């Protein structure tokens, strides 16, 4: 290494170096050694190294003593003002604690009775956003880091982070996700500038930015989003068209029909299929009417049977008209072509068509009709998909049936996954009541998926049903970790006011003969954690109310 | 002092934790349901019973306002200090509310307080006894000091020889010879009882692998080490203050002999540096009346947090006295009259140019000084390529951030706090750049620790 070193690093303050060159010569002599290079102003020989060190010492102190500030770089634009009121002090402290908790670092293994703070962060953020508080600026980096690691946190975390959070994200590449999630990087302007900005971002933005822009615009101005999309539609690439089309799913309205109908003739099969799917979610659309006409010819009431039953004559071919309307001709492997086509026709037909097809019978009466030749599974599954797509509560209710029915716990014509989706079309209370009834009859082991559909905090009957079922599971002598999924949900979703009802479950019960060894202690611990977490959630809510 | 006044913030409590894992474990325990019979005495003693998974709960007690920082006791078997229970209990207390009410201390807490205060008083008596040692002891002490000085002189002479050899052969060779040469030399300096020389020598070993520009840095540090050797060898010809500085830089400890200065001290910053043997805690104080900045050093064995801990942004009334040496910046904490309590004192600030001048002036008294403490009055963090600088809000000059400061999470807290607007920043500035330690927003608001 003999190259002459850079005397100063650009980052450190600028030293005053006069006379110029003296220091460089000292460094060169030091690198090569005084045996090879005599430093300036020294006699060669035994004393040269000491003379070099003397000179270098004087020069080092001189350079450091003469440090001057560097010229200032270009300042960042100041962060936009955040008009929200600041968090109350106790809530700000809580946020610090929640953000300090990182999953998987606290020894691992059994959780003991301590709550999982990271799991409470989403709830805390939702509540803080509902109150409309602004975060303490110094908490923003930890907040953005948390949102970086957990995509599910992002919408709430970014809403809470507010304008200063976006301002900060623009300065750190690690937080670029925040800009992608917010069209225009959050620099939303009102009035005509906004329109101009939207237009420019739509034409020049990255794909992810354009998707985010379209989705955001769609949520507040469906027609404007449609017009923006139509303006460049023919020039977009096929996979981009598919993603853009998907954004029409939210806020779908009858006025979308002409655009979607045109997309049925798209070059891309996936675009055609998505357009057809969206059209079928508009029960008054021409496509829905065409599909209804096809579907009703395949399904009819056979009155010669006693009692009368639904008979099915599945399509014998997939004609070009069907294909144009989005029916996929090739079935997946292992699936019969005719039942595949039938399923698609029924799924896309408006549910109202069946009432007239079956002599004015209600949804409930139609679902109750027997179906011949093993077609019930196909037919009911297609109706489920139609009810979800058309958000039809009446049909969903009919297909769900009574939660206490033996087949509700499966196996039945309607799977648990389908029931969970059907629940999504009902109101929150009805949903909670149905799941509570289900748990009371069938226990917890199948309930996880259904519980995930219920609004938080759980309505009282649902909370009681879950706690009772946990109590029963404990008495049955199993270990609590068989129910850790439901237990974790309960920690996050039970109404904190229910904590008092759990007191009776905290004690370690006497071990019965048939119980799993030690299970009682583990259950007491699990319930303690549940109560601790509920109390903590109550405290969190109280702190946010203090504003 | 009201209960409210003594209470710390969660941040301040978390700063006590020895590592990230115990911070997290402590956070989990900072909830009411984990604790029973929790209480506080109103004058800074907090206690409670922590329900573990075992049969008997742990008894945890913390004296927040101990003479030499918080003191902890917990029945748990943990080797962490403070343990997660103490952290959890303090968090619960810091959280406010009714979780830790003011109460009569139970017997076991009373016994602990009594025992502890007895020990501290005993220590004080012992140290004051040392001052009145007899003439025989003084002679023996002088003889020991002379022997040690001779050893150091031998060490410094040997070190000079090694530096001369290095420069004769050229620094280019140092890149190949690596750590071992320096480690061996450092060990020789430890034998010579010159710990200051030893640690400087050890630092030299890391420079050849420290990236671009290393020859300059190696020459600078070799030259300053040579300067220190020469200072030691001619210490009897130096002015008193400079001689004291040389003695302390070489590694001779002196006792704080300055007059006691009573003031209301704001805790400006607290940060730890650790090597394999030792954790060093630097606590910067700012005197509200004297406008003086003072440094408290506190040490802990490897893996343990030093015992002295003071919450950043709080202030307390106390006496300090200075150690000998340049600027008399380092002080020892004497009697404390009040516990640390949140305060809205802010240190006086200067411009970036003034900060640079201050470093230059300080070098006159101590040429080995890497940085001086300084508060910048109104600066804006500004990105500068891959790095950051603090630019004067009025004016076009800036101080670059030191390399380590630019890669710490504290940088982003500073940028977030500023939001492009001027902030007041306390930190250390020297030839490596500015290291921000604490900042205050432009408007009202508490100090934000950046370390």
């Amino acid at each position: 290494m003999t190259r002459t070193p850079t005397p100063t690093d650009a980052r450190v303050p600028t030293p005053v170096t006069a006379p110029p060159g003296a220091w460089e010569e000292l460094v060169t002599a030091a690198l090569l050694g005084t045996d090879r290079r005599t430093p300036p102003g020294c006699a060669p020989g035994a004393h040269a190294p000491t003379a070099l060190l003397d000179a270098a010492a004087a020069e080092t102190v001189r350079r450091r003593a003469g440090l001057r500030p560097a010229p200032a770089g270009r300042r960042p634009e100041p962060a936009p003002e955040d008009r929200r009121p600041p968090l109350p002090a106790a809530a700000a402290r809580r946020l610090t604690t929640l953000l300090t908790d990182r999953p998987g670092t606290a020894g691992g293994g059994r959780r003991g009775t301590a709550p999982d703070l990271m799991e409470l962060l989403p709830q805390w953020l939702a509540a803080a956003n509902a109150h409309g508080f602004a975060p303490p600026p110094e908490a923003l980096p930890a907040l953005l880091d948390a949102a970086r690691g957990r995509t599910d946190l992002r919408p709430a975390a970014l809403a809470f982070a507010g304008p200063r959070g976006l301002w900060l994200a623009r300065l750190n590449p690690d937080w670029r996700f925040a800009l992608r999630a917010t069209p225009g990087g959050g620099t939303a302007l009102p009035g005509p500038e906004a329109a101009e900005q939207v237009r420019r971002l739509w034409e020049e933005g990255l794909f992810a930015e354009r998707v985010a822009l379209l989705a955001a615009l769609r949520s507040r101005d469906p027609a404007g989003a449609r017009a923006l999309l139509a303006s460049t539609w023919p020039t977009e690439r096929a996979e981009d068209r598919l993603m853009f089309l998907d954004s029409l799913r939210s806020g779908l309205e009858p006025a979308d029909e002409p655009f979607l109908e045109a997309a049925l003739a798209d070059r891309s099969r996936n675009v055609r299929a998505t357009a057809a799917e969206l059209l079928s979610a508009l029960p008054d659309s021409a496509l829905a009417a065409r599909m209804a006409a096809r579907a009703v010819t395949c399904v009819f009431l056979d009155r010669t049977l006693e009692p009368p039953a639904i008979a099915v004559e599945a399509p014998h071919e997939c004609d070009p008209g069907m294909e144009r309307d989005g029916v996929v001709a090739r079935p997946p492997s292992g699936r019969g072509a005719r039942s595949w086509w039938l399923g698609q026709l029924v799924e896309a037909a408006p549910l109202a068509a069946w009432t007239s097809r079956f002599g004015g019978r209600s949804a409930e009466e139609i679902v109750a009709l027997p179906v011949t030749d093993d077609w019930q599974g196909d037919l009911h599954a297609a109706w489920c998909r139609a009810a979800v797509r058309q958000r039809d509560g009446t049909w969903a209710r009919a297909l769900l049936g009574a939660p206490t029915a033996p087949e509700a716990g499966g196996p039945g014509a309607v799977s648990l996954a389908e029931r969970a989706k059907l629940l999504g079309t009902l109101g929150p209370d009805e949903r909670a009541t149905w799941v509570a009834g289900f748990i009371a009859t069938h226990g917890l082991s199948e309930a996880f998926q259904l519980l995930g559909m219920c609004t938080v905090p759980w309505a009282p009957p649902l909370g009681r049903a879950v706690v009772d079922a946990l109590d029963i599971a404990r008495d049955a002598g199993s270990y609590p970790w068989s129910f850790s999924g439901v237990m974790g949900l309960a920690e996050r979703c039970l109404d904190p006011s229910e904590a008092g009802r759990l007191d009776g479950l905290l004690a370690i019960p006497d071990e019965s003969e048939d119980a799993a060894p030690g299970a009682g202690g583990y259950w007491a611990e699990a319930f303690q954690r549940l109560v601790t977490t509920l109390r903590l959630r109550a405290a969190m809510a109280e702190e946010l109310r203090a504003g | 002092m009201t209960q409210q006044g003594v209470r710390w913030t969660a941040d301040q409590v978390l700063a006590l934790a020895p590592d990230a894992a115990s911070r997290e474990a402590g956070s989990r325990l900072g909830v009411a349901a984990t604790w029973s019979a929790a209480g506080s005495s109103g004058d800074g003693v907090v206690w409670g019973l922590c329900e573990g998974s075992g049969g008997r709960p742990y008894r945890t007690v913390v004296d927040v306002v101990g003479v030499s920082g918080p003191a902890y006791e917990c029945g748990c078997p943990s080797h962490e200090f403070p343990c997660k229970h103490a952290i959890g209990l303090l968090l619960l207390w810091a959280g406010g509310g009714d979780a830790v009410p003011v109460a009569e201390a139970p017997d076991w807490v009373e016994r602990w307080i009594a025992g502890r205060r007895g020990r501290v008083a005993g220590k004080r008596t012992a140290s004051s006894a040392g001052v009145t040692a007899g003439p025989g002891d003084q002679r023996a002490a002088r003889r020991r000091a002379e022997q040690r000085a001779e050893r150091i002189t031998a060490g410094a002479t040997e070190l000079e020889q090694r530096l001369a050899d290095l420069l004769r052969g050229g620094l280019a060779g140092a890149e190949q010879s690596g750590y071992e040469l320096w480690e061996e030399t450092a060990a020789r300096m430890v034998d010579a009882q010159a710990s200051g020389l030893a640690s400087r020598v050890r630092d030299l070993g890391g420079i050849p692998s420290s990236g671009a520009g290393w020859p300059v840095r190696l020459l600078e540090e070799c030259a300053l080490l040579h300067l220190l050797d020469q200072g030691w060898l001619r210490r009897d010809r130096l002015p008193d203050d400079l001689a004291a500085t040389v003695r302390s830089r070489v590694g001779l400890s002196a006792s704080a002999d300055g007059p006691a200065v009573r003031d209301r001290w704001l805790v400006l910053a607290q940060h730890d540096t650790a090597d394999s043997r030792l954790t060093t805690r630097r606590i910067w104080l700012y005197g509200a009346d004297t406008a003086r900045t003072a440094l408290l050093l506190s040490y802990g064995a490897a893996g343990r947090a030093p015992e002295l801990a003071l919450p950043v942004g709080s202030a307390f009334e106390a006496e300090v006295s200075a150690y000998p040496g340049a600027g008399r910046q380092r002080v020892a904490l004497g009697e404390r009259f009040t516990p640390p309590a949140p305060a809205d004192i802010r240190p006086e600030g200067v411009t970036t140019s003034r900060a640079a001048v201050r470093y230059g002036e300080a070098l006159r008294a101590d040429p080995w000084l890497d940085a001086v403490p300084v508060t910048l009055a109104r600066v804006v963090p500004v990105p500068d390529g891959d790095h950051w600088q603090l630019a004067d809000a009025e004016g076009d000059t800036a101080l670059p951030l030191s390399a380590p400061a630019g890669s710490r999470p504290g940088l982003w807290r500073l940028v977030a706090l500023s939001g492009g607007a001027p902030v007041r920043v306390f930190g250390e500035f020297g030839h490596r750049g500015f290291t921000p330690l604490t900042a205050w927003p432009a408007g009202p608001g508490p100090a934000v620790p950046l370390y």
Side-chain angles (χ1 to χ4, degrees), chain A residues 147-421:
Chain A
R148 184 190 181 203
R150 279 184 53 178
T151 40
D152 63 314
L153 271 184
R154 284 183 189 176
L158 292 177
F160 182 56
R164 189 171 288 213
L166 281 174
W167 176 89
L168 196 60
R170 250 176 260 130
L171 294 167
N172 187 339
D174 286 351
W175 299 327
R176 212 169 276 152
F177 68 87
L179 310 181
R180 282 200 298 274
T182 317
T187 49
L189 298 167
E193 296 125 275
E196 177 48 36
Q197 204 177 15
V198 162
R199 162 68 49 192
R200 225 189 28 242
L201 187 65
W202 179 248
E203 276 162 9
E204 298 165 13
L206 301 170
F207 174 66
E209 288 172 331
R210 303 179 69 209
V211 170
L213 172 70
L214 195 61
L217 193 58
R218 179 74 179 174
S219 66
R220 56 172 199 268
D221 176 13
R226 195 171 53 237
L228 190 68
L229 181 55
S231 69
T232 57
W233 181 256
T235 62
E236 305 288 354
R237 298 183 315 148
E239 55 265 47
D240 295 2
R241 289 202 303 279
L242 185 63
M243 284 294 286
F244 292 147
L245 195 59
D246 213 50
S247 73
L248 296 189
R249 200 176 290 277
S250 72
L252 190 67
E253 55 181 6
D256 292 326
E257 193 183 346
F259 183 84
L260 292 170
E261 189 69 34
L264 284 176
D266 198 88
R267 297 186 297 282
S268 152
R269 190 161 58 89
N270 287 331
V271 171
R272 292 198 301 271
T274 303
E277 188 202 327
L278 290 173
L279 279 171
S280 68
L282 292 170
D284 295 327
S285 70
L287 177 129
R290 292 198 295 275
M291 294 305 261
R294 291 183 185 111
V296 294
T297 60
C298 302
V299 182
F300 49 91
L301 194 63
D302 187 342
R303 289 173 205 280
T304 63
L305 297 172
E306 184 52 42
I310 295 175
V312 172
E313 179 69 28
H316 289 275
E317 58 161 355
C318 181
D319 61 46
M322 282 163 70
E323 277 206 71
R324 184 184 176 278
D325 281 345
V327 175
V328 178
R330 265 177 71 99
S333 64
R335 185 94 197 258
R338 293 183 60 202
S339 87
W340 172 246
W341 297 327
L342 173 79
Q344 294 180 78
L345 295 184
V346 173
E347 180 181 352
L351 286 160
W354 301 108
T355 306
S356 45
R357 179 62 169 158
F358 294 118
R361 282 182 173 80
S362 69
E364 218 160 16
E365 288 163 339
I366 295 171
V367 170
L369 286 170
V371 183
T372 59
D373 298 333
D374 288 339
W375 281 106
Q376 193 193 15
D378 280 307
L379 191 58
H380 280 206
W383 277 337
C384 283
R385 294 195 296 275
V388 171
R389 190 184 287 187
Q390 294 166 36
R391 307 206 61 75
D392 189 319
T394 310
W395 271 85
R397 216 169 281 128
L399 288 158
L400 273 167
T404 48
E407 75 270 14
V414 177
S415 71
L416 272 174
E418 280 163 335
R419 281 180 207 276
K421 284 187 200 152

Side-chain angles (χ1 to χ4, degrees), chain A residues 84 87-88 91 98 120-134 156-157 160 537-545:
Chain A
R84 296 174 292 176
L87 269 185
L98 293 180
L120 297 181
L121 188 55
Q123 220 169 75
W124 189 94
L125 287 171
N129 283 333
H131 283 89
F133 286 122
F160 182 56
R537 283 174 50 213
M540 278 167 35
E542 189 50 45
E543 288 158 2
L544 283 164
R545 266 196 295 274

Side-chain angles (χ1 to χ4, degrees), chain B residues 77-132:
Chain B
S78 166
H79 297 293
E80 301 285 345
F81 187 81
C83 67
K84 60 182 178 179
H85 304 102
I87 300 278
L89 176 62
L90 286 177
L91 280 176
L92 185 65
W93 170 70
D98 309 328
V100 184
V102 176
E104 187 97 349
D107 282 352
W108 60 275
V109 172
E110 285 292 356
R111 276 199 301 278
W112 180 76
I113 297 171
R116 201 183 121 64
R117 299 213 166 135
R119 271 199 311 282
V120 172
K123 255 193 225 165
R124 277 195 188 151
T125 326
S127 64
S128 59
V131 177
T132 54

Side-chain angles (χ1 to χ4, degrees), chain B residues 377-388:
Chain B
R378 284 169 57 78
V379 283
V380 183
V382 173
D384 175 25
D386 290 342
H387 307 282
W388 283 80

